[in-house]
Amino acid sequence: MDLNRRPRRLRSSKNIRDLVRETNLSAADFVKPLFVVNGKNIREEISSMPDNYHLSLDQLKKEVERLLDLGIKAIILFGLPKYKDAEGSSAWQQNGIVQKAVRQLKKEFPELLVITDLCLCQYTDHGHCGILENSKIKNDATLSRLAKIALSHAEAGADMIAPSDMMDGRVAKIRQTLDENEFKEIGIMAYSAKYHSSFYGPFRDAAHSAPGQGDRSSYQMDAANSDEALREIELDVKEGADIIMVKPALSYLDIIQKASDNFNLPLAAYNVSGEYAMVKAAAEKGWIDEKSVALEILTSIKRAGADIIITYWADNAVQWLNE
């Protein structure tokens, strides 16, 4: 044993540990997901995602004010529409809930970075992320609808569009549509490596987006594959993505690291609802400490290589870090 090698010297006090810490979290790392609904004075807690809410436009304003006061300057917006149909037409209406929310937020909070999730699942009556014919998703027919949604979000004032559908070619189609309509400055945060995961359950409850038949394994990625993720990301980069994403995060830290090592673009990771809900449930039982576990999870995501973390703990994490 070489007694001159004493790694514990750099762990002997909090000040030393803080000084040599390799990975540090801050408010600038986080994007907070928000769920906006029609109506007034609605702030309903999502039962499977404690401390997260369905918010009407008036309550959304108050929530954003609170987030900005904490130093969180970016949100990703999900909408629950008034009606659903087979092609998800409410997703691209000018008076749709997301479009109204974006206009309001950009008018009242121009400093806020507003990212809009782009998908059809919560807008279709069948709950799938694309056009469904004979129980199969029609990839190319879906692309034109996604482009219409992206354009409506850009026209409302969104800063960035985040397609989460996993259709082939959707980044190129969205980029082309935005550019042709003079929205060349609007960025695309692509859900590039989005896995067919069991960790999405609470979100589907929150967004009312569970598929009515079958599942999404024909378009979301197989959880067993990692090289495929790199191919998916490479395609999105070539098609014009400005930010790439891995989703989920916690069970896919290896994918985050591979993406970080192989692509020189900002990398986002989505710390998804199931990851959040498990910790919440265990903490309510008194089995774990939510604060320490959540911060450890978020640190691991950043340590793996994520530049941006989308997380339901965004506001809590900032408060904990400031304690």
Side-chain angles (χ1 to χ4, degrees):
M1 178 178 175
D2 184 356
L3 296 182
N4 290 320
R5 303 289 294 178
R6 299 272 184 168
R8 287 185 56 199
R9 293 183 187 125
L10 298 182
R11 305 176 203 142
S12 59
S13 72
K14 183 178 184 303
N15 285 342
I16 293 175
R17 293 192 297 273
D18 289 346
L19 186 66
V20 301
R21 181 162 290 131
E22 299 173 29
T23 306
N24 290 283
L25 295 170
S26 74
D29 296 321
F30 302 131
V31 176
K32 173 73 173 183
L34 295 177
F35 298 88
V36 62
V37 300
N38 291 281
K40 292 184 179 180
N41 199 31
I42 297 172
R43 183 181 173 85
E44 295 178 345
E45 188 171 39
I46 299 166
S47 60
S48 57
M49 296 167 60
D51 298 329
N52 287 269
Y53 300 86
H54 290 135
L55 302 165
S56 54
L57 291 175
D58 53 325
Q59 294 297 314
L60 178 67
K61 175 183 175 181
K62 294 179 182 178
E63 183 68 5
V64 167
E65 288 175 339
R66 187 181 70 87
L67 294 174
L68 287 171
D69 287 343
L70 288 171
I72 297 170
K73 299 179 181 179
I75 65 165
I76 185 166
L77 199 58
F78 298 87
L80 279 70
K82 286 183 178 179
Y83 70 91
K84 302 185 180 192
D85 59 26
E87 65 173 358
S89 64
S90 61
W92 58 78
Q93 302 303 321
Q94 291 300 314
N95 64 345
I97 187 59
V98 168
Q99 290 80 357
K100 289 192 292 187
V102 171
R103 284 193 293 270
Q104 173 180 292
L105 292 176
K106 292 308 297 183
K107 178 180 179 181
E108 298 186 11
F109 309 103
E111 73 276 24
L112 179 71
L113 179 67
V114 177
I115 306 165
T116 55
D117 177 83
L118 192 164
C119 197
L120 285 169
C121 59
Q122 64 263 44
Y123 300 92
T124 54
D125 53 16
H126 48 74
H128 278 284
C129 303
I131 301 301
L132 192 66
E133 292 183 10
N134 299 320
S135 300
K136 291 185 178 181
I137 298 299
K138 307 300 288 184
N139 189 98
D140 294 359
T142 300
L143 299 184
S144 61
R145 275 72 165 188
L146 297 174
K148 290 173 70 172
I149 303 169
L151 182 58
S152 74
H153 289 183
E155 290 172 340
D159 298 296
M160 184 166 288
I161 310 296
S164 60
D165 54 281
M166 288 301 287
M167 297 297 119
D168 294 339
R170 89 274 203 212
V171 172
K173 180 66 173 179
I174 292 165
R175 183 72 275 158
Q176 178 186 11
T177 300
L178 292 175
D179 289 354
E180 288 176 349
N181 288 274
E182 303 301 323
F183 289 108
K184 295 181 180 181
E185 75 282 3
I186 303 296
I188 296 175
M189 174 190 283
Y191 288 65
S192 299
K194 181 179 178 179
Y195 283 85
H196 181 240
S197 172
S198 298
F199 286 98
Y200 300 150
F203 173 89
R204 290 174 181 169
D205 175 45
H208 302 168
S209 63
Q213 58 176 289
D215 59 29
R216 295 172 179 153
S217 56
S218 70
Y219 46 102
Q220 294 176 352
M221 286 182 53
D222 189 327
N225 296 349
S226 61
D227 291 344
E228 183 185 7
L230 300 184
R231 295 195 294 270
E232 285 279 9
I233 294 170
E234 184 177 12
L235 286 170
D236 282 357
V237 172
K238 288 180 179 179
E239 291 178 18
D242 300 284
I243 298 174
I244 53 179
M245 187 197 301
V246 174
K247 180 184 179 183
L250 186 56
S251 291
Y252 299 84
L253 296 176
D254 59 322
I255 308 302
I256 295 171
Q257 184 173 20
K258 280 190 173 187
S260 177
D261 290 343
N262 283 276
F263 298 96
N264 188 26
L265 275 183
L267 173 61
Y270 202 138
N271 174 214
V272 299
S273 60
E275 298 165 355
Y276 175 86
M278 288 192 304
V279 174
K280 279 287 191 181
E284 287 177 2
K285 290 283 189 179
W287 294 340
I288 59 174
D289 177 69
E290 180 186 358
K291 171 185 171 181
S292 60
V293 171
L295 290 177
E296 185 174 341
I297 288 171
L298 297 173
T299 299
S300 75
I301 295 169
K302 187 171 183 182
R303 189 185 65 237
D307 304 295
I308 301 159
I309 303 173
I310 303 172
T311 178
Y312 302 100
W313 275 304
D315 44 346
N316 299 118
V318 172
Q319 292 169 321
W320 292 330
L321 291 168
N322 289 335
E323 289 176 355

